[in-house]
Amino acid sequence: MSARPAIHLARAWDGPGAMVGARLLVDRVWPRGVARDELRLDGWLRDLAPSSGLRKWFGHDPARWDEFRDRYRAELDRNPEAVAQALDWCRKGPVTLIFGAKDRDHNQAVVLRDYLAGRL
């Protein structure tokens, strides 16, 4: 039995040294102040990002974190093609989910990492 590939998280500003394996941006919009060539992305999974409405509602407010997680997981459940694409990356080897939020603990990449890990 082989070990599951690792799913890492990094802020877009952390730099390439903080990113392991395939580099996948999981935001719907490009992170401000980061040049496209700086990230050296392997993929930009826009369709996995929370909807604009959900993102705006959440506003990175930790008080809304539990509800945000539930709503975002429901969106992921309704998007099997995008989830399958991300799982394909994860099965090939380690990946880093790159996000643009300032809060490392309350963002969509945290939810997505746990969601994908539960499906591998």
Side-chain angles (χ1 to χ4, degrees), residues 31-73:
R32 289 183 184 203
V34 178
R36 291 185 186 262
D37 60 339
E38 285 179 45
L39 289 182
R40 297 187 237 154
L41 293 179
D42 294 295
W44 184 1
L45 307 181
R46 288 182 189 106
D47 293 338
L48 275 181
S51 66
S52 294
L54 179 58
R55 180 177 51 82
K56 290 174 184 176
W57 171 83
F58 176 45
H60 298 284
D61 179 355
R64 293 183 172 182
W65 175 242
D66 291 336
E67 181 69 18
F68 170 76
R69 280 192 332 222
D70 293 343
R71 290 182 184 191
Y72 183 35
R73 286 180 185 143

Side-chain angles (χ1 to χ4, degrees), residues 79-111:
N79 196 352
E81 293 96 14
V83 170
Q85 181 184 15
L87 289 171
D88 287 344
W89 279 105
C90 294
R91 288 184 183 110
K92 292 176 188 174
V95 299
T96 298
L97 303 179
I98 302 167
F99 60 94
K102 292 178 183 176
D103 186 336
R104 291 182 184 274
D105 299 319
H106 303 98
N107 65 72
Q108 80 276 5
V110 172
V111 178

